[in-house]
């Protein structure tokens, strides 16, 4: 087993425990041992907290990174926002002057940032340390014929020099991870569009979400596969709001990749918390019936 | 656009504004902007709001047009934080980072939007941005997950104390 420190952040453990459950259920089957980080705080939030004071943001993020350094482990994240904060901090603190300044703050609590723990998003951890073939081998019920529209979200991919996840103009990682489950990924026309959650106000995000959901809807996909809990909120209760606002029949259920993986690995549908979603991925149930026969 | 005092057509650069911005992390990067507009084509906020244009924002920064950037209901909050401009910029200006530095200046002036204040308040109380409540741990228990656990706030609050002179390196 390869050991990694797990940085769960706020949104997934507090709002979407089903996603955390899916991660804890799937990774050990792929040879990853999850080590919990005691005393971790919010990453902190790369939108509003960062917009208040970048130095405070770096100081809190650096403290979180030192928790993994204490364990001598690399970190993996399950939220694109946490990945952005922690990866940017790792990148920015390669500057000695800035690192010294942040370390003078950390000295107040007897901590020191050393830059020894790498930050990996869970999707790249699986791609690079497990591999698509091992994911395929872990699947107990292949999702043959399941059409999965793909939404990457912004912060997983950009800025690519810092995130080091994939080519933001033609990313592959989610498509390949979906294919490893036997399902069929679909790139809809507005695949690159932002979910709008981090934009203050109503007008811009509403229009953006409408256009994005319209091309998702055009594909008639069974589900919308995604990897970011913030985007997830936009596509679940947000989809209901947009459908009402624009009088459209949008209804593609969003699904977090690791819940889909857990299902393909054999975790029963009713254990995966889908009843809490506004749009439930009922298309999955046909694979349970096949398995039961 | 005019930054002149009205007596002539000369644009007067506000260096005090630019010096303040340069104190923010990566706030000085706008100086590398040569106004090519690569940031604009890929900007989702520009696509939906003509009022928001990252190239124009960088130009206003170069001139130091504080009054057009740092007011109540600033257009800067329309940025979607998608990082497309960071990806595209051939000069590594990182327009989104300059915009966030400008937001830091807005926050210094007490002009952050209510959504930002709410996030900060929740964080300062609990060290997280989703407020804790008993229903969360109940939900987690359904998935055999342990309770959220407390964040050591004494450490967090100590980190967020203002810097004393020997700490800020200036």
């Amino acid at each position: 087993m390869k050991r990694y420190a797990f940085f769960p952040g706020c949104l997934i453990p507090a709002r979407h425990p089903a996603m955390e459950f899916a991660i804890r259920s799937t990774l050990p089957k792929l040879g990853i041992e999850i080590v919990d980080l005691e005393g971790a705080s919010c990453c902190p939030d790369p939108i509003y907290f960062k917009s208040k004071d970048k130095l405070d943001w770096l100081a809190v993020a650096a403290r979180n990174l030192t928790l993994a350094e204490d364990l001598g482990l690399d970190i993996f994240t399950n939220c694109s926002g946490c990945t952005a904060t922690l990866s940017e901090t790792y990148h920015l603190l390669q500057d000695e002057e800035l690192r010294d300044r942040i370390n003078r703050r950390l000295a107040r609590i007897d901590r020191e940032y050393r830059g020894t723990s790498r930050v990996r998003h869970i999707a790249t951890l699986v791609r690079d340390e497990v591999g698509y073939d091992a994911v395929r081998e872990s699947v107990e019920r292949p999702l043959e014929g399941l059409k999965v529209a793909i939404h990457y979200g912004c912060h997983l991919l950009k800025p690519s020099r810092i995130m080091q996840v994939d080519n933001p103009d033609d990313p592959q990682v989610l498509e390949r991870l979906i294919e490893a489950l036997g399902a069929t990924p679909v790139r809809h026309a507005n695949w690159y569009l932002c979910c709008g959650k981090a934009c203050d106000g109503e007008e811009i995000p509403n229009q953006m979400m409408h256009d994005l959901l319209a091309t998702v809807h055009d594909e008639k996909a069974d589900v919308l596969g995604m990897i970011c809990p913030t985007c997830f909120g936009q596509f679940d209760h947000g989809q209901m709001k947009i459908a009402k606002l624009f009088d459209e029949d949008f209804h593609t259920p969003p699904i977090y990749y690791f819940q889909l993986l857990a299902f393909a690995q054999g975790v029963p549908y009713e254990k995966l918390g889908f009843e809490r979603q506004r749009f439930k991925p009922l298309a999955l149930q046909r694979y349970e019936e096949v398995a039961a026969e | 656009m005019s930054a002149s005092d009205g007596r002539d057509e000369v644009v007067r650069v506000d260096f005090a504004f630019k010096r303040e911005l340069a104190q923010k992390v990566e706030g000085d990067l706008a100086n590398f902007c040569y106004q090519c507009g690569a940031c604009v084509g890929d900007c989702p906020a520009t696509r939906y709001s003509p009022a928001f244009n990252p190239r124009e924002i960088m130009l206003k920064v170069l001139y130091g047009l504080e009054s057009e950037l740092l007011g109540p209901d600033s257009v800067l909050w329309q940025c979607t934080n998608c990082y497309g401009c960071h990806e595209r910029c051939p000069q590594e200006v990182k327009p989104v980072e300059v915009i966030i530095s400008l937001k830091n200046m807005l926050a210094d002036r007490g002009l952050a939007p209510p959504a930002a204040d709410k996030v900060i308040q929740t964080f300062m109380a609990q060290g997280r941005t989703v407020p804790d409540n008993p229903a969360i741990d109940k939900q987690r228990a359904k998935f055999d997950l342990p309770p959220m656990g407390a964040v050591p706030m004494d450490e967090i609050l100590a980190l967020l104390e203002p810097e004393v002179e020997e700490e800020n390196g200036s």
Side-chain angles (χ1 to χ4, degrees), chain A residues 198-209:
Chain A
C199 176
D200 200 48
E202 290 278 332
E203 185 85 9
I204 301 174
N206 285 350
Q207 288 291 341
M208 206 143 60
M209 274 292 290

Side-chain angles (χ1 to χ4, degrees), chain A residues 109-147:
Chain A
I109 56 170
D110 297 321
R111 290 196 162 272
E112 186 193 2
Y113 173 80
R114 301 190 303 278
T116 53
S117 288
R118 250 187 92 184
V119 181
R120 326 277 294 268
H121 185 277
I122 187 169
T124 52
L125 183 75
V126 171
R127 177 190 64 192
D128 300 338
E129 302 300 330
V130 176
Y132 300 128
D133 288 340
V135 173
R136 192 172 289 112
E137 281 159 25
S138 78
V139 168
E140 281 186 17
R141 43 182 174 205
L143 307 176
E144 297 291 344
L146 188 79
K147 212 169 153 184

Side-chain angles (χ1 to χ4, degrees), chain A residues 49-121:
Chain A
F49 195 99
K50 186 180 180 184
S51 71
K52 174 83 162 50
D53 189 311
K54 281 195 200 180
L55 280 168
D56 285 351
W57 172 76
L58 281 171
V60 175
R63 176 186 169 277
N64 280 325
L65 291 172
T66 64
L67 301 175
E69 291 179 352
D70 289 351
L71 300 174
L73 296 173
D74 282 350
I75 282 191
F76 79 90
T77 53
N78 57 5
C79 163
S80 302
C82 300
T83 316
T85 286
L86 298 179
S87 296
E88 284 177 48
T89 301
Y90 181 85
H91 173 81
L92 284 170
L93 295 188
Q94 286 167 10
D95 179 274
E96 272 181 39
E97 204 179 309
L98 193 54
R99 186 200 311 216
D100 287 347
R101 188 163 176 187
I102 293 300
N103 268 332
R104 284 191 288 274
R105 292 234 203 157
L106 287 167
R108 300 171 184 172
I109 56 170
D110 297 321
R111 290 196 162 272
E112 186 193 2
Y113 173 80
R114 301 190 303 278
T116 53
S117 288
R118 250 187 92 184
V119 181
R120 326 277 294 268
H121 185 277

Side-chain angles (χ1 to χ4, degrees), chain A residues 20 104 108 155 160 169 211, chain B residues 48 81 87 140 158 167:
Chain A
E20 183 181 336
R104 284 191 288 274
R108 300 171 184 172
H155 294 156
S160 58
D169 294 325
D211 291 358
Chain B
Y48 294 97
N81 290 275
E87 191 68 33
R140 290 179 57 77
E167 285 181 321

Side-chain angles (χ1 to χ4, degrees), chain A residues 118-188:
Chain A
R118 250 187 92 184
V119 181
R120 326 277 294 268
H121 185 277
I122 187 169
T124 52
L125 183 75
V126 171
R127 177 190 64 192
D128 300 338
E129 302 300 330
V130 176
Y132 300 128
D133 288 340
V135 173
R136 192 172 289 112
E137 281 159 25
S138 78
V139 168
E140 281 186 17
R141 43 182 174 205
L143 307 176
E144 297 291 344
L146 188 79
K147 212 169 153 184
V148 185
I150 304 284
H151 181 75
Y152 277 91
C154 298
H155 294 156
L156 178 66
L157 301 171
K158 298 178 290 188
S160 58
R161 274 165 296 177
I162 294 172
M163 303 306 283
Q164 300 191 11
V165 170
D166 210 338
N167 174 1
D169 294 325
D170 185 16
Q172 298 292 312
V173 58
L174 277 186
E175 273 95 332
R176 298 291 87 80
L177 285 171
I178 297 283
E179 279 170 357
L181 310 182
T184 307
V186 183
R187 183 177 281 182
H188 64 99

Side-chain angles (χ1 to χ4, degrees), chain B residues 135-167:
Chain B
I136 289 177
D137 287 339
K138 231 171 106 184
Q139 269 300 327
R140 290 179 57 77
K142 281 189 195 164
F143 293 96
D144 287 327
L145 296 169
M148 291 288 287
V151 174
M153 286 311 291
D154 51 335
E155 289 195 23
I156 301 291
L157 295 175
L159 280 181
L160 298 180
E161 286 291 319
E163 289 182 357
V164 293
E165 209 153 289
E166 61 270 23
E167 285 181 321

Side-chain angles (χ1 to χ4, degrees), chain B residues 53-128:
Chain B
N53 181 309
R55 184 190 60 77
E56 284 176 7
I57 291 168
M58 292 309 111
L59 183 60
K60 288 173 182 174
V61 168
L62 289 170
Y63 285 145
L65 303 182
E66 173 167 349
S67 63
E68 294 191 31
L69 295 165
L70 302 186
D73 303 317
S74 168
V75 74
L76 300 172
W77 301 104
Q78 292 186 358
C79 172
T80 67
N81 290 275
C82 80
Y83 283 72
C85 55
H86 191 309
E87 191 68 33
R88 294 283 171 245
C89 180
Q91 285 289 89
E92 299 191 20
V93 165
K94 308 183 183 176
V96 59
E97 291 296 348
V98 177
I99 288 168
I100 296 169
S101 294
L102 291 165
K103 288 175 175 175
N104 283 185
M105 290 170 74
L106 278 163
D108 292 345
R109 288 157 173 73
L111 294 172
D117 287 335
K118 209 177 132 202
V119 165
I120 304 294
Q121 277 167 17
T122 309
F123 180 86
M124 296 303 270
Q126 298 177 346
R128 292 202 179 92

